[in-house]
Amino acid sequence: MPRRAPLAVSKLGIRLPQHPSASASPKLEHVPEATSSFRQRPSSEREARIKRELEEPRLSPSPYDIAWVAMVPLRGFPQAPCFPQCVEWILQNQEDNGSWGISELDLSTSKCTLLSTLACVIALKKWNVGPQHIERGLHFIGTNFSIVMDEHITAPIGFNITFTGMISLAIGMGLEFPGRQTDVDAVLHIRELELNRYDVDKSCGRESYMAYVAEGLGNLLDWNEVTKFQRKNGSLFNSPSTTAAALIYSYDDKAQQYLNLLVSKFGSAVPTVFPINIYCQLSMVDSLEKIGISRHFSSEIMSILDRIYSLWLHRDDEIMLDIKTCAMAFRILRMNGYDVSADELSHMSEASTFHNSLQGYSDDTESLLELYKASRVSVSKDEIILENIEYWAGNLLAEKLCPDVLHRVPLLVDYAIQLPFYATMERLHHRRNIEHFDVTDYQLLKTSYSPCSVKKDHLALATEDFTFSQGIYLNELLDIESWVKENRLDQLKFARQIQTYGSLTASACIFAPELSDARILWAKNCVLVTISDDFFDVGGSKEELENLVALVEMWDEHHELQFYSERIKILFCAIYATVNQIGEMASIVQNRDVREHLIEQWIHTLRCMMTEAEWGRTKYVPTTDEYIANAHVSYGLAPIVPPSLYFVGEELLESAEKDQEYNELFRLLSTCGRLLNDLQGLERESIQGKLNSVSLLVLHSGGSMSVEAAKKEVEDYIASCRTELIRLVLREGTAVPRPCKELYLRMYQVNHLFYSNTDGFSSPTEMLGEVNAVIYEPLKLQTNNPL
């Protein structure tokens, strides 16, 4: 190999032109540094509020639970309330319409509000205070009584037990409801039917469900049996209302201590569930990740996840005893590199155990969905627990997507089934979640609550961030298009023009606006690799191909050779100039000479493309192993992904590039990409007389394997490689930094989307919707989300 000229280091910047028709787009100033300077916006009050909420979630008061805590008598003095401050809260917080509800959730005519209002009325009646409050409350209930019977209005868990039980209790206290007696009788009949149904059912799920809604059953329950659901903190299901009811009907020291702690922490503003900080924090982390702004809160998120991981290792009750929290903790911790075992989900490995849980018995779709999403984060084919959960949870969720029940199920169920995390471009995922973000969304237990009080800030920041990024992406695309013309690449008529797709994949994989250099070099190399692939595939003669490989191998001494054609000159000069520029920039960023490594990537890629061309020309039929060993390199990702690692803000040591992990990440990604391409390109390549992995399997089987069976084998191999790729990316403490490894997973997501239904990369129109969504089109927010 000829000796190459010594590296001349200079400080370079990449120009990001301002689009003349996009005057509102942010302008990126050119600064002569190795990477383009990105002017950071000052930390806003919005971000500060999100940080405060992350560190200490603010729980909304629950009038329903406050009322039940207010009903607890002082021990030894049954005529006095144990928590008079809760009685006072009820007196001070009645709405103008006579109801008690959570004002920020705007549920004034919901079943939750009716439930809370009735509980508050009963609490006041018990202590003979607030007669006018009681009168207004009863009027509200009577006016809205029809809601109780309306099956189209969502009901909280156990509503037909808790509400009807309190109706019966209120009548026993002498309270009268305005309206028709027949309506009250109808509600009491519902209660009778519900109790008869539960009497027939003797399952464990039914037992836990009845204990959870015990306040609606009163003396019908054996309260000694209920106490077996008591947790270490003294509560029943972490529910203030259930725990308070237990104290009313059967005194217990631990339950009293739980309520004492609750009131000392929140005063009179008792939440509907406590403790719930872990779930609220996980829910917020999940939200920030899904809408693409988690990087603004990386230190806070790391601190939170470190603490939750410690609690996970100690099998903390707050995590382990709640299915939704446990599943979400598993998924988020694993996706963020923490070593969590699927064994902690073993109690949910069978559908029967879910059905026998409180969540399963109460048909909790969100808990089921979290279990399903957790099951998709597998890092080994041996994780049978996750495989089992994926099977049964997927089937149950699919049943919920039947046309007759679709309206009851959030769209995210369909989205989770159709597009697991590895099957969607991250930036498209962000856009969809931003556009479907509902600031009024709430969770339902026995009453409604919101796990996050700053949802408007989440949405506003995500919208600002996405819109700002689009301006950057558009400028970069314009720069790429200018570069193509300057290098005369548009004159190579044999080649696909994929500038927009190159920019799309760059923006999808490296979306942070400040990482402009990484995206631009990614897109440029994507263009060059595609042109080279087309040249070897259809555009070049044998002599031209050999000439191009020889020129790249000579590199700085290429002047010793002649250009076989003008096309060769255009292509080689573009590769030569671009790789040298990237090499100079990367060497400054990494503080070492990396140009040699970049050149080797191109040499290896073109040699494998040449091998493939020679096979076609000589009609050589390789073995399947031969094909994959060569084709995963000729697929062309080596000049695209590895060079970008230098520009994501991490030091990539030379020792890391020599580590087996570095090579394995590339092999797994490229193998998946090539085989995905083979599946979609089979028909076209068969017509052209070309062989790929599917046709080779059929050919070498001697006729014993059908095309469909070969496709299935290829799909299984892709799944195996994908699982191993995910394992390597998520594994912490390895040679390659995590931000660098994440590019490999994101590029897999790009490949999966491009080749999910057809060969999207070869079609000039197939992915234009995605291009528009990421680069051009403004966000379309829900109408109920005004900013």
Side-chain angles (χ1 to χ4, degrees):
M1 181 69 64
R3 186 174 64 85
R4 300 192 177 102
L7 177 69
V9 177
S10 63
K11 292 188 174 183
L12 298 176
I14 286 181
R15 176 173 56 87
L16 291 178
Q18 179 73 19
H19 192 282
S21 64
S23 57
S25 298
K27 184 178 181 181
L28 198 65
E29 292 185 351
H30 170 72
V31 178
E33 290 295 336
T35 56
S36 299
S37 176
F38 177 75
R39 186 185 301 171
Q40 296 292 337
R41 288 171 286 107
S43 178
S44 65
E45 179 57 32
R46 181 182 298 125
E47 292 172 2
R49 285 194 296 270
I50 294 174
K51 288 180 180 180
R52 288 195 296 269
E53 182 81 3
L54 269 171
E55 292 166 357
E56 187 58 45
R58 185 176 70 85
L59 304 182
S60 301
S62 166
Y64 177 75
D65 291 86
I66 292 169
W68 275 101
V69 174
M71 286 187 243
V72 175
L74 184 64
R75 191 179 188 193
F77 299 91
Q79 302 306 313
C82 184
F83 303 104
Q85 61 269 56
C86 291
V87 180
E88 184 63 26
W89 188 95
I90 296 172
L91 292 171
Q92 296 298 325
N93 287 275
Q94 188 175 31
E95 300 291 338
D96 292 339
N97 63 2
S99 71
W100 282 269
I102 303 174
S103 57
E104 57 261 41
L105 294 184
D106 190 25
L107 301 172
S108 56
T109 57
S110 71
K111 291 182 178 180
C112 290
T113 302
L114 277 178
L115 189 72
S116 298
T117 301
L118 181 54
C120 288
V121 165
I122 291 173
L124 295 179
K125 179 65 176 177
K126 178 169 184 173
W127 305 118
N128 290 315
V129 295
Q132 293 181 342
H133 294 74
I134 293 173
E135 182 180 351
R136 291 199 301 271
L138 289 173
H139 178 74
F140 174 83
I141 294 169
T143 302
N144 295 280
F145 211 81
S146 61
I147 293 175
V148 178
M149 310 293 290
D150 191 339
E151 295 183 356
H152 294 95
I153 297 178
T154 304
I157 296 175
F159 180 78
N160 285 344
I161 294 294
T162 54
F163 186 81
T164 59
M166 289 193 298
I167 287 286
S168 181
L169 179 61
I171 292 172
M173 298 172 77
L175 291 170
E176 296 183 2
F177 296 93
R180 297 180 303 178
Q181 181 62 38
T182 53
D183 291 338
V184 176
D185 291 341
V187 168
L188 294 177
H189 181 63
I190 290 175
R191 175 177 177 79
E192 184 179 344
L193 292 176
E194 288 284 314
L195 293 177
N196 288 339
R197 182 166 68 88
Y198 292 130
D199 282 343
V200 174
D201 187 349
K202 301 300 181 182
S203 67
C204 295
R206 176 260 184 197
E207 188 179 10
S208 60
Y209 177 83
M210 298 299 274
Y212 180 62
V213 297
E215 64 268 29
L217 296 168
N219 289 320
L220 296 177
L221 272 182
D222 180 350
W223 285 90
N224 289 326
E225 285 294 309
V226 173
T227 56
K228 72 181 182 181
F229 294 99
Q230 190 173 47
R231 299 187 176 180
K232 294 176 184 177
N233 61 13
S235 77
L236 294 169
F237 306 98
N238 287 342
S239 169
S241 53
T242 310
T243 309
L247 266 180
I248 293 170
Y249 289 99
S250 178
Y251 181 81
D252 179 84
D253 279 337
K254 291 176 67 178
Q256 181 72 58
Q257 291 168 13
Y258 169 78
L259 291 184
N260 289 341
L261 173 64
L262 187 71
V263 173
S264 68
K265 180 175 179 61
F266 295 98
S268 56
V270 173
T272 195
V273 59
F274 176 80
I276 196 175
N277 268 26
I278 293 176
Y279 173 74
C280 289
Q281 288 178 318
L282 287 170
S283 181
M284 280 187 280
V285 170
D286 195 37
S287 173
L288 294 171
E289 290 180 344
K290 289 195 296 186
I291 58 180
I293 56 174
S294 60
R295 68 187 188 282
H296 295 298
F297 309 97
S298 55
S299 61
E300 290 80 10
I301 289 174
M302 182 179 294
S303 176
I304 288 168
L305 295 185
D306 281 347
R307 184 178 64 83
I308 291 176
Y309 180 57
S310 177
L311 294 171
W312 174 279
L313 294 178
H314 288 88
R315 307 194 78 255
D316 184 83
D317 277 0
E318 189 179 343
I319 299 174
M320 299 301 172
L321 295 182
D322 182 76
I323 291 174
K324 184 159 56 175
T325 303
C326 185
M328 185 181 287
F330 173 82
R331 172 174 59 85
I332 292 177
L333 287 173
R334 175 167 280 191
M335 288 298 293
N336 280 276
Y338 294 84
D339 183 16
V340 288
S341 171
D343 290 347
E344 298 298 350
L345 298 176
S346 60
H347 60 295
M348 285 292 125
S349 62
E350 302 296 334
S352 58
T353 55
F354 179 73
H355 290 308
N356 280 324
S357 69
L358 171 61
Q359 290 85 354
Y361 193 82
S362 57
D363 194 25
D364 184 350
T365 300
E366 290 187 359
S367 292
L368 181 62
L369 182 60
E370 281 301 333
L371 276 171
Y372 181 73
K373 289 195 289 187
S375 73
R376 305 302 293 267
V377 192
S378 176
V379 295
S380 169
K381 63 181 180 180
D382 298 324
E383 291 190 303
I384 305 301
I385 292 170
L386 297 185
E387 185 179 320
N388 290 343
I389 293 174
E390 180 182 352
Y391 174 75
W392 68 257
N395 286 339
L396 289 179
L397 287 171
E399 291 175 8
K400 295 179 179 293
L401 294 176
C402 295
D404 59 331
V405 297
L406 183 59
H407 67 280
R408 296 172 45 224
V409 182
L411 289 175
L412 53 86
V413 173
D414 185 44
Y415 186 70
I417 292 176
Q418 299 300 325
L419 292 173
F421 75 94
Y422 55 76
T424 179
M425 280 190 200
E426 195 153 11
R427 209 53 176 154
L428 288 174
H429 181 62
H430 296 160
R431 180 183 181 115
R432 180 200 172 278
N433 288 321
I434 294 169
E435 292 186 333
H436 287 81
F437 195 95
D438 186 357
V439 297
T440 65
D441 190 32
Y442 58 88
Q443 305 281 327
L444 265 184
L445 294 174
K446 280 189 290 188
T447 186
S448 53
Y449 77 99
S450 176
C452 175
S453 65
V454 290
K455 287 186 176 181
K456 288 184 179 180
D457 290 321
H458 283 210
L459 179 60
L461 182 59
T463 301
E464 174 189 296
D465 183 87
F466 193 93
T467 303
F468 182 80
S469 298
Q470 280 187 307
I472 301 294
Y473 303 158
L474 179 56
N475 285 340
E476 292 166 355
L477 176 54
L478 294 172
D479 189 76
I480 298 300
E481 290 173 342
S482 296
W483 167 82
V484 166
K485 293 178 180 177
E486 289 167 4
N487 287 272
R488 300 193 294 155
L489 296 172
D490 57 327
Q491 297 177 19
L492 302 177
K493 301 306 181 184
F494 62 84
R496 291 165 287 176
Q497 298 298 310
I498 54 90
Q499 296 91 288
T500 53
Y501 286 1
S503 292
L504 170 65
T505 61
S507 302
C509 294
I510 314 169
F511 61 83
E514 63 269 23
L515 299 179
S516 190
D517 284 346
R519 280 190 300 276
I520 289 181
L521 74 87
W522 177 295
K524 286 182 177 180
N525 279 327
C526 197
V527 169
L528 292 172
V529 167
T530 302
I531 293 173
S532 300
D533 182 56
D534 290 344
F535 196 55
F536 278 87
D537 204 19
V538 297
S541 66
K542 177 177 181 293
E543 292 76 15
E544 285 178 310
L545 302 185
E546 291 173 345
N547 184 224
L548 178 61
V549 173
L551 287 165
V552 173
E553 289 176 341
M554 295 293 287
W555 203 253
D556 288 328
E557 278 75 35
H558 68 269
H559 58 273
E560 297 178 8
L561 300 175
Q562 291 184 337
F563 295 114
Y564 190 86
S565 66
E566 186 66 15
R567 299 190 303 180
I568 289 290
K569 182 177 181 180
I570 291 173
L571 180 53
F572 173 76
C573 289
I575 293 172
Y576 181 77
T578 303
V579 172
N580 280 343
Q581 183 193 36
I582 293 170
E584 291 179 16
M585 294 173 62
S587 296
I588 294 172
V589 172
Q590 295 294 326
N591 198 29
R592 63 185 179 88
D593 187 352
V594 302
R595 193 179 63 141
E596 186 87 16
H597 184 61
L598 300 180
I599 297 168
E600 290 295 338
Q601 300 278 23
W602 269 100
I603 292 173
H604 194 198
T605 300
L606 294 184
R607 283 174 175 171
C608 287
M609 288 181 178
M610 188 68 186
T611 298
E612 214 165 79
E614 289 174 352
W615 287 348
R617 187 171 57 256
T618 62
K619 306 300 181 184
Y620 176 74
V621 179
T623 66
T624 306
D625 288 343
E626 273 184 300
Y627 171 81
I628 292 177
N630 186 81
H632 86 272
V633 181
S634 67
Y635 186 59
L637 295 184
I640 300 172
V641 181
S644 303
L645 308 187
Y646 297 131
F647 296 94
V648 294
E650 294 287 331
E651 182 183 17
L652 185 64
L653 299 175
E654 186 175 2
S655 59
E657 293 175 337
K658 296 178 180 178
D659 194 271
Q660 181 181 358
E661 178 192 38
Y662 180 88
N663 295 321
E664 192 67 357
L665 285 164
F666 172 76
R667 184 189 70 81
L668 292 167
L669 167 63
S670 297
T671 300
C672 288
R674 169 55 74 187
L675 296 183
L676 286 166
N677 177 276
D678 284 356
L679 288 171
Q680 295 300 336
L682 176 63
E683 184 177 347
R684 182 189 74 249
E685 291 177 337
S686 296
I687 294 172
Q688 295 171 346
K690 296 178 181 178
L691 296 171
N692 70 20
S693 57
V694 179
S695 55
L696 283 171
L697 282 172
V698 174
L699 185 63
H700 288 305
S701 72
S704 63
M705 180 180 287
S706 67
V707 171
E708 290 306 312
K711 285 183 176 180
K712 179 64 169 61
E713 185 166 323
V714 170
E715 288 169 354
D716 290 344
Y717 190 58
I718 292 171
S720 176
C721 289
R722 180 182 65 233
T723 298
E724 179 61 14
L725 176 65
I726 293 170
R727 185 187 71 83
L728 289 181
V729 171
L730 300 184
R731 189 174 61 177
E732 289 290 337
T734 59
V736 181
R738 173 66 183 267
C740 297
K741 293 195 291 184
E742 285 177 346
L743 290 194
Y744 289 90
L745 179 55
R746 291 176 186 163
M747 189 52 168
Y748 174 85
Q749 293 169 329
V750 167
N751 279 267
H752 192 106
L753 186 62
F754 265 86
Y755 299 115
S756 57
N757 298 310
T758 185
D759 184 352
F761 198 77
S762 295
S763 168
T765 58
E766 182 69 25
M767 305 303 293
L768 287 185
E770 285 73 12
V771 171
N772 290 333
V774 173
I775 300 176
Y776 290 109
E777 292 180 353
L779 289 166
K780 300 170 185 175
L781 302 181
Q782 291 189 23
T783 55
N784 62 335
N785 285 336
L787 291 180

